[in-house]
């Protein structure tokens, strides 16, 4: 059945290979779904009407693959993407799965681990560039602690900066044209993660050597984990020109990383988020970083993926109706105080007249 909520390429809906291939493993229970190869995964994404696929290096190329294996895997994946009509807008790197990163990657105490993390990211950038990606996400999942006995947290910030500055130089050197999008999360898998919220990264970025190359990738669930309003984080990122990517999903506050289907937990909050993205004309990918319930089989995964996109389009439609609704717009036009200017530019005479003014509280 096709209707006006069918996804189309211009909607720029993307999924990570890790999202639709999620097998439902959690810390307490094993996989409930069979593995889905990257090439079959891309075919599935084509079938449900997605536009793009994103990947970590090791979602596609095993960490121990030889150079020849890597090249064959990449070639076959490119053919699979072509056949499915799927593009690769974003790439990222796994700096969290391998046991080597147990103490962190860019911030680990062992300098060999830190250097390996930078090398692994450079190779992931090579891979992403080969697949046509222009956005490179960095989620520092292991950049944190269980106890602050292990290092001073400001030392960790310096190490993180050095790593990212180096990768920006590599980006320039190789002419890859990547925009880096830093993704925050308050906790899990570490007890505490150094850059816990999008706001923390927005404070960190201006301290980098190439701040123009680096923005953020806010994730709805990660802001909700911290009990925050995800829209406010997204809006602040947008306002300073740093919304380079977005991870859409859903999450109840204060819980583990639930990665629920988009808009399935907080539909009203997600209405405001979609309305914002559409109103401001955000032109980047709408990436769903979520997964199906453990109770679902492969058909359920397809329903889940279709559901993410459909929910977005329903909310987009409602946002357009909100904007077009005469009654709503009439009520809004009665609100006092339009515009963003409050007191204008400072001048001594202007400040004197402001001080002299009597306000009717
Ligand atoms: C992991 C994490 C996500 C990140 C992915 C990119 S991996 O699933 O929980 O939020 O976006 O590294
Ligand atoms: Mn998440
Ligand atoms: Mn994410």
């Amino acid at each position: 059945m096709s209707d006006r909520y069918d996804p189309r390429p211009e909607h720029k809906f993307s999924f990570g290979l890790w999202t639709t291939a999620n097998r439902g493993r959690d810390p307490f229970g094993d996989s409930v779904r069979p593995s889905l190869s990257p090439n079959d995964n891309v075919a599935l994404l084509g079938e449900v009407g997605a536009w793009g696929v994103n990947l970590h290096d090791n979602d596609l190329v095993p960490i121990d693959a030889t150079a020849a294996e890597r090249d064959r895997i990449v070639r076959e994946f490119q053919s699979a993407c072509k056949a499915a009509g799927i593009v690769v807008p974003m790439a990222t790197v796994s700096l969290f799965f391998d046991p080597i990163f147990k103490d962190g990657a860019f911030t680990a105490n062992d300098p060999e681990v830190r250097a390996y993390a930078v090398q692994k990211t450079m190779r992931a950038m090579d891979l992403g560039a080969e697949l046509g990606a222009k956005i490179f996400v960095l989620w520092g999942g292991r950049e944190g602690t269980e106890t602050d006995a292990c290092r001073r947290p400001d030392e960790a910030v310096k190490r993180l900066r050095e790593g990212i500055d180096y990768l920006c130089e590599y980006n320039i050197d190789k002419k890859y044209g990547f925009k880096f999008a830093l993704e925050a999360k308050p906790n899990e898998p570490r007890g505490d993660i150094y850059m816990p919220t999008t706001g923390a990264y927005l404070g960190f970025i201006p301290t980098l050597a190439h701040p123009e190359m680096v923005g953020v990738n806010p994730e709805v669930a990660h802001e909700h984990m911290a009990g925050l309003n995800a829209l406010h984080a997204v809006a602040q990122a947008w306002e300073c020109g740093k919304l380079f990517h977005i991870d859409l999903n859903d999450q109840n506050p204060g819980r583990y990383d639930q990665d629920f289907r988009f808009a399935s937990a907080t539909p009203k909050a997600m209405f405001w988020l979609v309305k914002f993205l559409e109103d401001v004309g955000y032109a980047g990918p709408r990436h769903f970083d979520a997964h199906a319930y453990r109770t679902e089989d492969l058909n359920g995964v397809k329903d889940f993926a279709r559901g993410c996109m459909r929910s977005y389009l329903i909310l987009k439609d409602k946002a357009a109706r909100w904007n077009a609704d005469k009654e709503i717009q009439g009520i809004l036009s009665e609100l006092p105080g339009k515009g963003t200017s409050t007191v204008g530019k400072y001048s001594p005479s202007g400040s004197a007249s402001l001080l002299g003014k009597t306000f009717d509280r």
Side-chain angles (χ1 to χ4, degrees):
M1 199 180 65
S2 100
D3 62 28
R4 65 202 170 111
Y5 300 130
D6 281 345
R8 291 192 306 270
E10 64 265 31
H11 299 133
K12 294 195 175 173
F13 290 136
S14 61
F15 289 83
L17 275 183
W18 68 93
T19 65
T20 35
N22 180 285
R23 300 178 64 196
R25 189 184 287 130
D26 70 22
F28 303 96
D30 212 341
S31 306
V32 293
R33 288 185 282 270
S35 61
L36 182 62
S37 76
N39 296 352
D40 288 348
N41 200 343
V42 157
L44 180 151
L45 292 177
E47 183 188 333
V48 300
W51 158 80
V53 65
N54 304 315
L55 51 112
H56 298 93
D57 47 356
N58 305 136
D59 294 338
L60 181 62
V61 182
I63 196 164
D64 51 5
T66 65
E69 281 164 355
R70 178 224 181 259
D71 291 348
R72 177 187 51 79
I73 291 168
V74 173
R75 255 196 328 274
E76 289 175 9
F77 185 70
Q78 282 170 322
S79 312
C81 287
K82 205 160 174 227
I86 295 283
V87 299
V88 182
M90 175 272 260
T92 180
V93 57
S94 174
L95 298 176
F96 47 88
F97 190 81
D98 196 80
I100 191 73
F101 300 123
K102 63 189 176 203
D103 180 43
F106 301 138
T107 67
N109 283 347
D110 184 342
E112 285 283 295
V113 174
R114 302 203 294 272
Y116 173 61
V118 173
Q119 183 208 61
K120 192 171 192 291
T121 306
M122 288 158 68
R123 289 184 176 163
M125 288 168 65
D126 299 342
L127 174 65
E130 199 174 334
L131 295 170
K134 286 290 170 205
I135 301 164
F136 199 90
V137 164
L138 284 170
W139 169 58
R142 296 279 170 197
E143 315 292 12
T145 58
E146 284 71 40
T147 167
D148 289 318
C150 61
R151 70 188 139 263
R152 255 173 58 166
D154 58 336
E155 210 39 58
V157 174
K158 292 185 203 313
R159 290 176 187 169
L160 185 62
R161 180 181 302 117
E162 184 184 324
I164 294 176
D165 283 347
Y166 198 93
L167 295 167
C168 287
E169 295 295 344
Y170 186 64
N171 188 33
I172 295 168
D173 194 12
K174 291 282 178 176
K175 301 189 173 59
Y176 282 156
F178 278 120
K179 292 275 191 188
F180 292 94
L182 310 181
E183 179 177 347
K185 178 159 146 180
N187 57 270
E188 205 197 278
R190 299 306 299 266
D192 293 289
I193 298 179
Y194 288 128
M195 293 287 163
T197 62
T198 297
Y201 270 134
L202 290 175
F204 171 70
I205 290 168
T207 73
L208 295 170
H210 296 282
E212 71 291 345
M213 215 179 278
V214 186
V216 291
N217 177 36
E219 173 170 320
V220 171
H222 298 172
E223 301 298 320
H224 285 190
M225 270 174 108
L228 300 176
N229 180 316
L231 166 62
H232 293 187
V234 168
Q236 191 189 349
W238 172 263
E239 200 275 335
C240 61
K242 290 296 180 195
L243 188 65
F244 288 3
H245 198 259
I246 189 165
D247 278 5
L248 300 169
N249 53 10
D250 216 339
Q251 162 92 27
N252 291 309
R255 310 284 168 84
Y256 67 96
D257 190 20
Q258 295 173 318
D259 289 335
F260 285 150
R261 193 180 86 183
F262 178 60
S264 62
T266 63
K268 186 175 171 186
M270 293 306 99
F271 165 76
W272 295 117
L273 177 62
V274 170
K275 182 175 182 300
F276 180 86
L277 294 174
E278 297 300 324
D279 283 354
V280 300
Y282 166 75
R286 273 76 172 160
H287 173 238
F288 298 105
D289 189 7
H291 45 75
Y293 294 149
R294 268 185 109 225
T295 43
E296 297 302 308
D297 60 12
L298 192 63
N299 281 323
V301 171
K302 292 182 195 174
D303 290 343
F304 146 81
R306 289 191 179 100
C308 283
M309 298 185 283
R310 188 177 173 84
S311 293
Y312 188 98
L313 292 174
I314 289 171
L315 294 176
K316 177 177 169 174
D317 187 42
K318 289 191 186 299
R321 282 159 60 190
W322 171 284
N323 288 341
D325 189 285
K326 291 216 164 55
E327 193 184 348
I328 292 173
Q329 294 312 315
I331 294 166
L332 290 176
S333 71
E334 287 165 19
L335 295 177
K338 292 268 168 288
T340 49
S341 177
T342 306
V343 288
K345 235 182 144 70
Y346 185 87
S347 72
S349 65
S351 80
S353 79
L354 179 59
L355 284 169
K357 187 172 163 182
T358 308
F359 287 95
D360 178 2
R361 278 166 49 232

